[in-house]
Coordinates of all heavy atoms in Angstrom, one line a residue:
M1 N -13.9 -48.7 -15.2 CA -13.9 -49.8 -16.2 C -14.5 -51.1 -15.6 O -14.4 -51.3 -14.5 CB -12.5 -50.1 -16.6 CG -12.4 -51.2 -17.6 SD -10.8 -51.8 -18.1 CE -10.0 -50.4 -18.8
K2 N -15.4 -51.7 -16.5 CA -16.0 -53.0 -16.1 C -15.7 -53.9 -17.2 O -15.8 -53.6 -18.3 CB -17.5 -52.7 -15.9 CG -18.2 -54.0 -15.4 CD -19.6 -53.7 -15.0 CE -20.2 -54.9 -14.4 NZ -21.8 -54.6 -14.0
V3 N -15.4 -55.2 -16.8 CA -15.0 -56.3 -17.7 C -16.1 -57.3 -17.6 O -16.4 -57.7 -16.4 CB -13.7 -56.9 -17.3 CG1 -13.4 -58.1 -18.2 CG2 -12.6 -55.8 -17.5
L4 N -16.7 -57.7 -18.6 CA -17.7 -58.8 -18.7 C -16.9 -60.1 -19.1 O -16.4 -60.2 -20.2 CB -18.7 -58.6 -19.9 CG -19.8 -59.6 -20.0 CD1 -20.6 -59.8 -18.7 CD2 -20.7 -59.2 -21.1
L5 N -17.0 -61.1 -18.2 CA -16.4 -62.3 -18.3 C -17.5 -63.3 -18.8 O -18.4 -63.6 -18.0 CB -15.7 -62.9 -17.1 CG -14.5 -61.9 -16.7 CD1 -14.2 -62.2 -15.1 CD2 -13.5 -61.8 -17.5
V6 N -17.3 -63.9 -20.0 CA -18.4 -64.8 -20.5 C -18.1 -66.3 -20.3 O -17.0 -66.7 -20.9 CB -18.6 -64.6 -22.1 CG1 -19.6 -65.4 -22.4 CG2 -19.0 -63.1 -22.2
N7 N -18.9 -67.0 -19.5 CA -18.7 -68.4 -19.3 C -19.6 -69.2 -20.2 O -20.9 -69.2 -20.1 CB -19.2 -68.6 -17.8 CG -19.0 -70.2 -17.5 OD1 -18.7 -71.1 -18.3 ND2 -19.3 -70.6 -16.2
G8 N -19.0 -69.8 -21.2 CA -19.6 -70.6 -22.1 C -19.6 -72.0 -21.9 O -19.9 -73.0 -22.7
G9 N -19.1 -72.4 -20.7 CA -19.1 -73.9 -20.2 C -20.6 -74.4 -20.0 O -21.4 -73.6 -19.7
P10 N -20.7 -75.7 -20.1 CA -22.0 -76.2 -20.0 C -22.4 -76.4 -18.5 O -23.7 -76.4 -18.4 CB -21.7 -77.6 -20.5 CG -20.4 -78.0 -20.4 CD -19.8 -76.6 -20.6
H11 N -21.6 -76.1 -17.5 CA -21.9 -76.2 -16.1 C -21.7 -74.8 -15.5 O -20.5 -74.3 -15.6 CB -21.1 -77.4 -15.4 CG -21.3 -78.6 -16.0 ND1 -22.3 -79.3 -16.0 CD2 -20.2 -79.3 -16.7 CE1 -22.1 -80.5 -16.5 NE2 -20.8 -80.6 -17.1
E12 N -22.7 -74.3 -14.9 CA -22.6 -72.9 -14.4 C -21.4 -72.5 -13.5 O -20.8 -71.6 -13.6 CB -23.8 -72.5 -13.8 CG -24.0 -71.0 -13.4 CD -25.4 -70.6 -12.9 OE1 -26.2 -71.4 -12.7 OE2 -25.5 -69.4 -12.6
K13 N -21.1 -73.6 -12.6 CA -20.1 -73.3 -11.7 C -19.1 -74.5 -11.9 O -18.3 -74.8 -11.0 CB -20.7 -73.5 -10.2 CG -21.7 -72.6 -9.8 CD -21.2 -71.2 -9.7 CE -22.4 -70.3 -9.3 NZ -21.8 -69.1 -8.8
G14 N -18.8 -74.8 -13.0 CA -17.7 -75.8 -13.5 C -16.3 -75.1 -13.5 O -16.0 -74.2 -13.1
C15 N -15.5 -75.9 -14.4 CA -14.0 -75.5 -14.5 C -13.9 -74.1 -15.2 O -13.0 -73.3 -14.7 CB -13.3 -76.5 -15.3 SG -13.2 -78.1 -14.5
T16 N -14.7 -73.7 -16.2 CA -14.6 -72.5 -16.8 C -14.7 -71.3 -15.8 O -14.2 -70.3 -15.8 CB -15.5 -72.4 -18.2 OG1 -15.2 -73.5 -19.0 CG2 -15.4 -71.0 -18.8
Y17 N -15.9 -71.6 -15.1 CA -16.3 -70.5 -14.1 C -15.1 -70.4 -13.0 O -14.8 -69.2 -12.7 CB -17.6 -71.0 -13.2 CG -17.9 -70.2 -12.0 CD1 -18.6 -69.1 -12.2 CD2 -17.5 -70.4 -10.7 CE1 -18.9 -68.1 -11.2 CE2 -17.8 -69.6 -9.7 CZ -18.5 -68.5 -9.9 OH -18.9 -67.6 -8.8
T18 N -14.5 -71.5 -12.6 CA -13.4 -71.4 -11.7 C -12.2 -70.6 -12.2 O -11.6 -69.8 -11.5 CB -12.9 -72.9 -11.3 OG1 -14.0 -73.6 -10.6 CG2 -11.7 -72.8 -10.4
A19 N -11.9 -70.9 -13.5 CA -10.8 -70.0 -14.1 C -11.3 -68.5 -14.3 O -10.4 -67.7 -14.0 CB -10.6 -70.6 -15.5
L20 N -12.5 -68.3 -14.6 CA -13.0 -66.9 -14.7 C -12.9 -66.1 -13.4 O -12.8 -65.0 -13.2 CB -14.4 -66.8 -15.2 CG -14.4 -67.3 -16.8 CD1 -15.9 -67.2 -17.2 CD2 -13.6 -66.3 -17.7
E21 N -13.3 -66.9 -12.3 CA -13.1 -66.4 -10.9 C -11.7 -65.9 -10.5 O -11.3 -64.9 -9.9 CB -13.5 -67.4 -9.8 CG -15.2 -67.5 -9.7 CD -15.7 -66.3 -9.0 OE1 -15.1 -66.0 -7.9 OE2 -16.5 -65.6 -9.5
E22 N -10.7 -66.7 -11.0 CA -9.3 -66.4 -10.9 C -9.0 -65.0 -11.6 O -8.3 -64.2 -11.0 CB -8.4 -67.5 -11.3 CG -8.5 -68.6 -10.2 CD -8.0 -68.2 -8.9 OE1 -6.9 -67.7 -8.7 OE2 -8.7 -68.6 -8.0
V23 N -9.5 -65.0 -12.8 CA -9.3 -63.7 -13.6 C -10.0 -62.6 -12.9 O -9.4 -61.4 -12.7 CB -9.8 -63.9 -15.1 CG1 -9.7 -62.7 -15.8 CG2 -9.0 -65.0 -15.8
S24 N -11.3 -62.8 -12.5 CA -11.9 -61.8 -11.8 C -11.3 -61.3 -10.6 O -11.2 -60.1 -10.3 CB -13.4 -62.3 -11.5 OG -14.1 -61.3 -10.7
K25 N -10.7 -62.2 -9.8 CA -10.0 -61.9 -8.5 C -8.8 -60.9 -8.8 O -8.6 -60.0 -8.2 CB -9.5 -63.2 -7.8 CG -8.8 -62.9 -6.5 CD -8.4 -64.2 -6.0 CE -7.4 -64.1 -4.9 NZ -6.8 -65.3 -4.4
T26 N -8.0 -61.3 -9.8 CA -6.9 -60.5 -10.2 C -7.2 -59.1 -10.7 O -6.6 -58.1 -10.4 CB -6.0 -61.2 -11.4 OG1 -5.6 -62.4 -10.9 CG2 -4.7 -60.4 -11.7
L27 N -8.2 -59.0 -11.6 CA -8.8 -57.7 -12.0 C -9.2 -56.8 -10.9 O -9.0 -55.7 -10.8 CB -9.8 -57.9 -13.0 CG -9.4 -58.5 -14.4 CD1 -10.6 -58.8 -15.3 CD2 -8.5 -57.6 -15.1
K28 N -9.9 -57.5 -9.9 CA -10.6 -56.7 -8.8 C -9.4 -56.1 -7.9 O -9.6 -55.0 -7.3 CB -11.5 -57.6 -8.0 CG -12.7 -57.8 -8.6 CD -13.7 -58.7 -7.8 CE -15.0 -59.0 -8.5 NZ -15.8 -59.8 -7.9
E29 N -8.3 -56.9 -7.8 CA -7.2 -56.4 -7.1 C -6.7 -55.2 -7.7 O -5.9 -54.4 -7.1 CB -6.0 -57.6 -7.1 CG -6.4 -58.6 -6.1 CD -5.5 -59.8 -6.1 OE1 -4.5 -59.7 -7.0 OE2 -5.6 -60.7 -5.3
E30 N -6.8 -55.0 -9.0 CA -6.3 -53.8 -9.7 C -7.4 -52.7 -9.8 O -7.2 -51.7 -10.6 CB -5.9 -54.2 -11.2 CG -4.8 -55.2 -11.3 CD -3.4 -54.6 -10.6 OE1 -3.2 -53.4 -10.9 OE2 -2.7 -55.4 -9.9
G31 N -8.4 -53.0 -9.1 CA -9.6 -51.9 -9.1 C -10.5 -51.9 -10.3 O -11.2 -51.0 -10.6
I32 N -10.5 -53.1 -11.0 CA -11.5 -53.1 -12.1 C -12.6 -54.0 -11.7 O -12.4 -55.3 -11.3 CB -10.6 -53.8 -13.3 CG1 -9.5 -52.9 -13.7 CG2 -11.6 -54.0 -14.5 CD1 -8.6 -53.5 -14.8
E33 N -13.8 -53.5 -12.1 CA -15.1 -54.2 -11.6 C -15.3 -55.3 -12.7 O -14.9 -55.2 -13.9 CB -16.2 -53.2 -11.7 CG -17.5 -53.8 -11.3 CD -18.6 -52.6 -11.4 OE1 -18.4 -51.6 -11.6 OE2 -19.7 -53.1 -11.0
T34 N -15.8 -56.4 -12.3 CA -16.1 -57.5 -13.3 C -17.5 -58.2 -13.0 O -18.1 -57.9 -11.9 CB -15.1 -58.8 -13.0 OG1 -15.2 -59.2 -11.8 CG2 -13.7 -58.3 -13.2
E35 N -17.9 -58.8 -14.1 CA -19.2 -59.5 -13.9 C -19.0 -60.7 -14.8 O -18.5 -60.7 -16.0 CB -20.4 -58.7 -14.5 CG -21.8 -59.4 -14.3 CD -22.9 -58.4 -14.9 OE1 -22.7 -57.4 -14.9 OE2 -23.9 -59.1 -15.1
I36 N -19.4 -61.8 -14.2 CA -19.4 -63.1 -15.0 C -20.8 -63.4 -15.4 O -21.8 -63.5 -14.7 CB -18.9 -64.3 -14.1 CG1 -17.5 -64.0 -13.6 CG2 -19.0 -65.7 -14.9 CD1 -16.9 -65.1 -12.7
F37 N -20.9 -63.7 -16.7 CA -22.1 -64.0 -17.3 C -22.0 -65.4 -18.0 O -21.2 -65.7 -18.8 CB -22.4 -63.1 -18.5 CG -23.7 -63.1 -19.2 CD1 -24.8 -62.8 -18.7 CD2 -23.7 -63.7 -20.5 CE1 -26.1 -62.8 -19.3 CE2 -25.0 -63.8 -21.2 CZ -26.2 -63.4 -20.5
W38 N -23.1 -66.2 -17.5 CA -23.1 -67.7 -18.0 C -24.1 -67.8 -19.1 O -25.2 -67.5 -18.9 CB -23.5 -68.5 -16.8 CG -23.5 -70.0 -17.2 CD1 -22.5 -70.7 -17.8 CD2 -24.7 -70.9 -17.1 NE1 -22.9 -72.0 -17.9 CE2 -24.2 -72.1 -17.6 CE3 -26.0 -70.7 -16.6 CZ2 -25.1 -73.2 -17.6 CZ3 -26.7 -71.8 -16.6 CH2 -26.3 -73.1 -17.0
I39 N -23.6 -68.2 -20.2 CA -24.6 -68.4 -21.4 C -24.8 -70.0 -21.6 O -25.7 -70.4 -22.2 CB -24.0 -67.9 -22.9 CG1 -22.6 -68.5 -23.2 CG2 -24.0 -66.4 -22.7 CD1 -22.3 -68.2 -24.5
G40 N -23.9 -70.8 -20.9 CA -24.2 -72.3 -21.0 C -24.4 -72.9 -22.4 O -23.5 -72.5 -23.3
N41 N -25.4 -73.5 -22.6 CA -25.6 -74.2 -23.8 C -26.6 -73.4 -24.7 O -27.0 -74.0 -25.7 CB -26.1 -75.7 -23.7 CG -25.1 -76.5 -23.1 OD1 -24.0 -76.5 -23.3 ND2 -25.6 -77.5 -22.2
K42 N -26.9 -72.1 -24.3 CA -27.8 -71.4 -25.2 C -27.1 -71.0 -26.4 O -26.0 -70.6 -26.4 CB -28.1 -70.1 -24.3 CG -28.9 -70.5 -23.1 CD -29.1 -69.2 -22.2 CE -29.5 -69.6 -20.7 NZ -29.3 -68.4 -19.9
P43 N -28.0 -71.0 -27.5 CA -27.4 -70.5 -28.7 C -27.1 -69.1 -28.8 O -27.8 -68.4 -28.1 CB -28.5 -70.9 -29.8 CG -29.7 -71.0 -29.0 CD -29.3 -71.4 -27.7
V44 N -25.9 -68.7 -29.4 CA -25.6 -67.3 -29.5 C -25.9 -66.9 -31.0 O -25.2 -67.6 -31.9 CB -24.1 -67.1 -29.2 CG1 -23.7 -65.6 -29.3 CG2 -24.0 -67.5 -27.8
R45 N -26.6 -65.9 -31.1 CA -27.0 -65.5 -32.6 C -26.3 -64.1 -32.7 O -26.4 -63.2 -31.9 CB -28.5 -65.5 -32.8 CG -29.0 -66.7 -32.7 CD -30.5 -66.8 -33.1 NE -31.3 -65.7 -32.6 CZ -32.5 -65.5 -32.9 NH1 -33.1 -66.3 -33.7 NH2 -33.3 -64.6 -32.2
R46 N -26.0 -63.9 -34.0 CA -25.4 -62.7 -34.4 C -26.6 -61.7 -34.8 O -27.4 -62.0 -35.4 CB -24.5 -62.8 -35.6 CG -23.8 -61.5 -36.1 CD -23.0 -61.9 -37.2 NE -21.6 -61.8 -37.1 CZ -20.6 -62.0 -37.7 NH1 -20.8 -62.4 -38.9 NH2 -19.4 -61.8 -37.4
M47 N -26.5 -60.4 -34.3 CA -27.5 -59.4 -34.4 C -27.0 -58.5 -35.5 O -25.8 -58.0 -35.2 CB -27.9 -58.7 -33.1 CG -28.5 -59.7 -32.0 SD -30.1 -60.3 -32.4 CE -31.1 -58.9 -32.3
Y48 N -27.6 -58.1 -36.4 CA -27.2 -57.2 -37.4 C -27.9 -55.9 -37.3 O -29.2 -55.8 -37.0 CB -27.5 -57.7 -38.9 CG -26.7 -58.9 -39.1 CD1 -27.2 -60.1 -39.0 CD2 -25.4 -58.9 -39.6 CE1 -26.4 -61.2 -39.4 CE2 -24.6 -59.8 -39.9 CZ -25.0 -61.1 -39.8 OH -24.3 -62.2 -40.1
C49 N -27.3 -54.8 -37.3 CA -27.9 -53.5 -37.3 C -27.7 -52.8 -38.7 O -26.8 -52.9 -39.4 CB -27.2 -52.5 -36.2 SG -27.2 -53.1 -34.6
L50 N -28.8 -52.3 -39.1 CA -28.8 -51.7 -40.5 C -29.0 -50.3 -40.3 O -29.5 -49.8 -39.5 CB -30.1 -52.2 -41.3 CG -30.0 -53.8 -41.5 CD1 -31.5 -54.1 -42.2 CD2 -28.9 -54.2 -42.3

């Protein structure tokens, strides 16, 4: 299993990142792979599949 942790905070290594690192650490201790993805201030658009 792999968990994607999304950092939507404006600073790549800010408070949100620090919190996600703690979650990541706990998940890794349970054998779960993680990846932190920073979207920052980039707009998120909904994609529709027809």
Side-chain angles (χ1 to χ4, degrees):
M1 179 186 299
K2 185 172 186 177
V3 174
L4 177 64
L5 303 167
V6 179
N7 180 355
H11 306 291
E12 186 173 6
K13 302 288 183 174
C15 294
T16 303
Y17 175 83
T18 303
L20 292 175
E21 276 289 305
E22 288 298 315
V23 172
S24 177
K25 178 181 170 185
T26 302
L27 291 172
K28 286 178 183 177
E29 289 172 356
E30 297 297 320
I32 300 171
E33 187 179 354
T34 64
E35 181 177 343
I36 297 176
F37 182 76
W38 179 58
I39 61 171
N41 293 327
K42 299 173 193 161
V44 177
R45 296 190 310 175
R46 185 181 245 179
M47 301 290 288
Y48 294 97
C49 297
L50 300 176

